[in-house]
Every structure is written in C-alpha cells, then in structure tokens.
Amino acid sequence: MDNIKRITLRALPVENLKQKPVRTTGLVIVVAVLSLIFFASSLLTINLGAGLESMQRRMGADIMVVPPGATAQTEQILVNSCPQTFYFHDDILGDIEKVKGVSQITAQTFISSFAAGCCQAKLQIIGFDPDTDFVVQPWIEEQFHERVQDGHIIVGANVHPSRDGKVRLFRHRFPVDGQLARTGTSYDNTVFVNRETVRLMRDYSAGIGTKTIAEDEVNSAISSVLINVTDRSKPEKVAERINAIPGLENVEFIYSSGLSSKVRDSMASITGYVWVFLGLFWITGMVILFAVFSSSANERKKELASLRIMGATRKMLISMLIKEATLVGIGGGLIGVSLAALLMYPFSNYIRQLLKLPYLPAGVGVASSLALACLFVAVIVCVLAAGVASAKLLGSETYLTLREGD
Amino acid sequence: MKSKLLPTLPPIVLGSLIAFGPQTFAYPCPIHGDHPMPMVCHWTAQASLAVGLTIVMFGVVAFFVDARMRAGLSVAVAVNAIAELAIVLWLIGVCENPMMHCTSVMKPTLVVCSVLTLVFAAVAAFVDMKKN
C-alpha cells in the first residue's frame, strides 16, 4: 500500500501533463514558437530604435556641407559602414564661418584604409580638429577626459588593437589612446585621429604606394564641414546663404533631421513587415492554441465528469485546467524566449550587416523586461484558451456527459 | 522508437551542422594568394569538423543500443558539446574583427549548435537514466 503513489488535487495538473507527453509536447512547442517570434521581433524593433537614437546623438551637427555629388557617399559613411574618400579645399571654412546664422563650425577629413590582412576589414578614418570640433571631441572626452595625441588614434568598438595596444594601418602600427563604447552605427568601425595624424597617415600610405590625399593638398584637404546653427536660424536658410557664396553654388548639404528621417523610413518599412508577420503568426498561433485546448478538453470529458462525481467542484476543475495551461505557458514561454535570445545576441553583428542600418543590441535590463513580458503574454494566452474551452465543457450536466455514447 | 528520437536525432542534425557548417555556409576567413597564412578561425573550423563528426557518430550508435548505454552516449555528446564551446570561445577562437564572416556567422552558428546539443543531450541522458 505504501508503494502506491498518492495523487492530490494539487499534484493532479503536473500528473495530467506527464501522462499525455505527446499532447503536452505539442502545446509547449506551439507556445515556444509564438514566444520566440514575439521576443525576437520585439527585440529587433527595440535594437533598431536604439541604433537610430545612437546615430542621432553621434551625428551632432545641424548641417553637414559636402563636395558636389558626395551626399550619397557621406550617408553611406554615417549609416552603412562603407568607407569613402572625397575632398574639397579648406579655404571655404572662412567663407562659411561668416554666413549669418552659423554658430559653430568645424571640418573633418575622411580617409579609407585598405584591408591590411584577411582579418582586417576596411576602416573609415576620420580626421578632426580638436580645437574647433564639437561632434567627436565631446564624445571622446566623455570617456577619456583628454585629447588624442599626435600620431595616436582613438578606435570604435569594432576595431580591436593587438596585444601591444596598437592598430596596424598603412603598414604602420599606431598606438591606441582609447576605444569608444559601442554605438550600433558606422562609428564602431571608425578610427578617429587629429589633423596632424592625418598628415602622418598620408605619408605612410604614400610610402606603400596607396593613394589617399595628394601631397600638395594634405594641409588643406577636408571632406566635410559640420555646422551648428544659432537658435533663431533654420538650417535650410543657412544652407541657402552658403549656396549664394561664389564658388559654393554646387556644394551639397546633409541635414541631421533629414538623415534621421531617411533612416527612420527604412526602419519603418522593416518594422512594419515585422509587426504584420508577428500579427499573422500570433493570430494563427492563438487559433491553434484554442483548437488544441478545446479538443483536448473535449477528449477529457469523461475524465472531468468522473472527477466531478468523486466530489471535485467545477471551480476545482477549472483551477486544475488553468494550472495545466499555466505550466504549459511557462514551459513554452521559457523555451521560446531562451531560443530567441540564443539566436538574436550571438548573431547581432550579422543582423546589422544584413539590415545595413544602425542596430544597437539592447542591454540585460531591457532584454530581461521584454523576456518577462513575453512570458506573461504566453501564460495569459494559454490560460485564456484553457479557460474558454473548460468553461464551455463544464457547463453541461455531469451525468449526461459521463453516459454520453452509451 | 519514440524514446530513441531525443538521444539520436538532435546529435545527428546538430553534429552535422557543427561539422559541415564551417565547411559550407559558416566558413572561416579564406586562404588565398594574397593571404596564404591560415587564420585562427581556420583551425577552429578544422577542430569543429572532428568534434561534430564524433557527435554525429554517437547519435547514430545511440539508435542501436539500450537505454543505459544511450544515457552514457548522451553524456559523451554533452561533453563534446562543451569541448566545442571551449574550442570556439577560448581554446582556439576566431578572428577579433566583429565584421568578419568567421566572427559574425561561424562563431554564433557553432555556439548556438553547441548549446542546443548540450541541452538536448542533458535532457536525453536524464530521461534515459530515469528509465533504469
């Protein structure tokens, strides 16, 4: 007698799930797939949003003036991590500085490194002037509290120095003063240097036969002029005034708001597809869950009627079925969320490469909150499906249910 | 038949991915004329071929043996999965640049497959041990 396992009403939900492994596995798989899709698509949307926010923070200027025909190339630098080079003469700085509405002005020089080895991707090198810069320098100072030295470099999160703390560019090893935090933008693949180091890099590249900047232009070549306008001025109006300067009729402008809205539009189309796909998947999944819970409750008509005859109240049986559904929801939800996290985090660099958009993986706090939300939704959906199915079934007369088919 | 699915199917499928993924879609940095020196990821791919095939072999053998033996094979699969994780993450590793194919595709593919192999093998070993 001692060997007989006593099953209480409290232990009955677990025993019921154990006794029907195929049904339980099927339900857990459906919930796991739903949770996986929900978690993965929500995380994708959050990461894209964080990437856009990071890009807006890093762009830091109201207007970017670039040479004629260089707008698309510049946008590629800012969004897609495609190293580019183009130049104009820095004598335009003096002219632009005098334009009404210009509050801050600085210049940047872009150089593209060549792939030094099979494990070295091309890097974008941005030369800036620490004395006038208001875009890169404040960001560097946030993390290092000092200026980048001549002949030294600051690297983005994806650029890894070797063990001696140096990065090899143009067959020269440059000491790294610091590595910036991940931004999810092209700045992660960028090397920042001051104007003096730009000249050094030009010399090193010329020494190995790589063309970057012409020797006579090395002191005057700039790739873009970054402008902040005064509070009362509109960037478009300031751009018009710059275009009115003789010799600057054809220069092009990139507005931070314009670039952000372009990126936002690209993201909106991706997230739109994601949410439509998610919606369709959830509708299908919920229909399957309701169908499976209804058919399994229907299958268990006599089992439930027997329990009623043994003294279990309707409330007890509904509570038992809801506990079963809760266990299925927790199990499936945990599996789905874990699988989604296992795919989304290790593959985050590949996802960013595929999307060609700013993509900043969410931190532990955000991911944990999202995981809890997914788990909660999975449990609620299961409980609702089981509740509806069991309420309908337990509404009928017990005796008739038990004798059904006799 | 049904009880043999868990200790056999996942090791065969995931072991094949570990073995042949780096030889096909999740390839390491290529060796060619400009770069004749194999990079670190190349050796990880070679080691994964050996570990993956061992996992596949355990999965195939598990199909023909009793529950006690299957439990032992599942433990062996789990140990191999841990070895594969160690190879990818610490013992050999891959190139450091996150934009390279070996880091963005090969490494996550091998990590995900190893973790899944480990989880399935642990569950299979537990189920088969309970039967005895």
Side-chain angles (χ1 to χ4, degrees), chain B residues 14-113:
Chain B
L14 295 166
S16 302
L17 277 171
I18 290 171
F20 300 114
Q23 312 298 324
T24 52
F25 66 94
Y27 50 84
C29 294
I31 304 166
H32 51 77
D34 294 340
H35 308 293
M37 272 287 283
M39 298 307 293
V40 67
C41 52
H42 169 81
W43 303 115
T44 295
Q46 296 298 98
S48 300
L49 182 65
V51 175
L53 286 176
T54 311
I55 292 172
V56 172
M57 194 191 73
F58 286 148
V60 173
V61 174
F63 201 78
F64 303 101
V65 294
D66 64 10
R68 193 176 294 187
M69 190 83 167
R70 275 203 308 271
L73 285 169
S74 293
V75 172
V77 167
V79 172
N80 271 271
I82 293 169
E84 176 61 22
L85 272 178
I87 286 169
V88 178
L89 299 175
W90 304 291
L91 297 180
I92 305 179
V94 292
C95 300
E96 282 189 341
N97 189 330
M99 304 313 279
M100 301 311 295
H101 196 267
C102 66
T103 315
S104 63
V105 179
M106 188 179 107
K107 182 181 168 183
T109 303
L110 292 175
V111 168
V112 170
C113 289

Side-chain angles (χ1 to χ4, degrees), chain A residues 118-119 158 160 342 349-350 353, chain B residues 29 39 95-96 98 100 112:
Chain A
C118 68
C119 291
N158 286 347
H160 291 274
L342 191 60
N349 278 318
Y350 188 57
Q353 283 172 34
Chain B
C29 294
M39 298 307 293
C95 300
E96 282 189 341
M100 301 311 295
V112 170

